[in-house]
Structure formats: structure tokens, C-alpha cells
Amino acid sequence: DTMIIRDLSPIPYIEGKLSVAERAKAIMQFGSSWPADMKSQEMLARSLARSLDNSHTLLRNLKIPEPDVIVPLILISPQGMTVLYNNPVRGVFRAQGNTWKIMSGSGRSFQAAKPNLILRTQLLTRGVETFLTQHGYGDLPLEGILVFTDSGTHVDTIRPDVRIVQLDALERFSAQLSSGDPVMGQERRFKLVE
């Protein structure tokens, strides 16, 4: 059996099959990048589902009350939890520590890029960590990962503060995750998902 996916999106995307009104409402609520972000999420979810079994659950767009935020993807596995911040951006970037830069148009230098996707990944992860601690799951291993879903994206990494996974490395990420030592049993995973 394949990985379990729970879509908790306020406006489910479902392969882009939306009415004009639903699409307009989503863009008004979540910004103009919403359709591309949702498509990116679906691509990532399909990729993970190909290599992870039903001991893994992927939560899509979970709203956590403090800090009032929607976390794009949370993977709950026997090996712990992973906050996956997917991004469909294309370009050449540099990630060093918590610094996020994009190559200039001339290709000669890197300049600070906004938003800072490393800091955003850290903030989402901290939000989930706080939520887990409040609900008695503060002992679980939790990692935040920035995932790029456009094959035209290249990231030059120099000890970034978050793990960065590009599209072509998703299978390897899944294999590493599956082969890790389990830290929680089935019953605790079910309670955590609920």
C-alpha cells in the first residue's frame, strides 16, 4: 500500500479542477502564486507516494493556530516528522547558513532574494515544533526541508541552515527516510495524525 495523503486545504486544488470562482477566491485569500504552489505540492506528494508505504502519512495544508499559519506539507513517519516547504521557483540560487540569494540577471553575482526561503522553512518548522510541544509530542525528531519542484532550479549550497532537496533527489530522500531507525510505533503515529 502507498503513502496516506490527507488534504486539509481550505480550498482543495485536486489537479487544478477548480471553478473560476474557487480559483479567484483562492488567489484572493492566498496570493497569485497559489495555483503554482498547489501544483508543486501535488507533484511532491505524487513523488513521495511512489516510494513511501502506508506507514507514512502526508498532511497537506494543515492550519496551526499559533502562529496562525498553514503549513504546506507535514510528513509523519515511523522515523519522525518532516516539515516540507515546497517551492516551484526557477532560477539559480545560493543557500549559505540562513542567507538566501539569487543569481543576478547578468549571471555575475548573487543578490539577496525575497522571500528568504530558508527563514520561511525555519519559521514553519518552529511553528510545528511549538504546536507539537503543546500537545505532548515535543520529544519527536522534527526536520524542516526546503524542496524545489522545478527541474530548472539549481541551488548552490554552503552549509545551509535547512536541508535542501531538489526534484531529482526526491527518491533518494525517500529511500534515506525509509531506511532510518523508527522512533514511533503505529499507535502513536495514528494519534499524532488525528
Side-chain angles (χ1 to χ4, degrees), residues 33-53:
S33 67
W34 183 83
D37 292 341
M38 292 299 102
K39 190 175 177 183
S40 166
Q41 260 190 33
E42 284 192 343
M43 184 186 303
L44 178 51
R46 277 195 306 272
S47 177
L48 292 171
R50 280 194 294 272
S51 43
L52 296 176
D53 64 18

Side-chain angles (χ1 to χ4, degrees), residues 40-41 50 57 67 76 105 107 123-124 134 144 165 172 174 176:
S40 166
Q41 260 190 33
R50 280 194 294 272
T57 301
I76 300 171
L123 286 171
L124 288 170
Q134 290 167 347
V165 176
R172 193 171 9 155
S174 298
Q176 284 175 339

Side-chain angles (χ1 to χ4, degrees), residues 14-34:
I14 311 164
E15 296 175 8
K17 295 180 178 91
L18 294 165
S19 69
V20 172
E22 287 172 318
R23 185 175 293 268
K25 180 182 174 192
I27 290 171
M28 291 288 290
Q29 196 170 346
F30 303 111
S32 60
S33 67
W34 183 83

Side-chain angles (χ1 to χ4, degrees), residues 104-167:
S104 67
S106 64
R108 293 200 183 107
S109 64
F110 284 94
Q111 299 162 346
K114 288 190 174 150
N116 182 325
L117 301 181
I118 293 173
L119 291 178
R120 188 167 279 181
T121 305
Q122 289 178 313
L123 286 171
L124 288 170
T125 306
R126 273 200 292 277
V128 171
E129 188 174 40
T130 301
F131 182 79
L132 289 172
T133 301
Q134 290 167 347
H135 291 85
Y137 292 95
D139 61 323
L140 286 179
L142 175 68
E143 182 179 19
I145 299 180
L146 176 54
V147 183
F148 293 98
T149 55
D150 190 308
S151 59
T153 301
H154 174 76
V155 183
D156 179 26
T157 58
I158 305 165
R159 291 185 302 286
D161 286 355
V162 298
R163 186 161 153 193
I164 294 174
V165 176
Q166 291 178 236
L167 187 61

Side-chain angles (χ1 to χ4, degrees), residues 46-67:
R46 277 195 306 272
S47 177
L48 292 171
R50 280 194 294 272
S51 43
L52 296 176
D53 64 18
N54 64 359
S55 66
H56 304 267
T57 301
L58 186 69
L59 304 177
R60 288 184 66 184
N61 300 307
L62 174 68
K63 184 177 171 71
I64 55 175
E66 304 238 347

Side-chain angles (χ1 to χ4, degrees), residues 167-187:
L167 187 61
D168 60 353
L170 275 173
E171 275 186 37
R172 193 171 9 155
F173 163 73
S174 298
Q176 284 175 339
L177 183 70
S178 296
S179 65
D181 293 332
V183 295
M184 84 180 129
Q186 185 177 9
E187 189 178 330

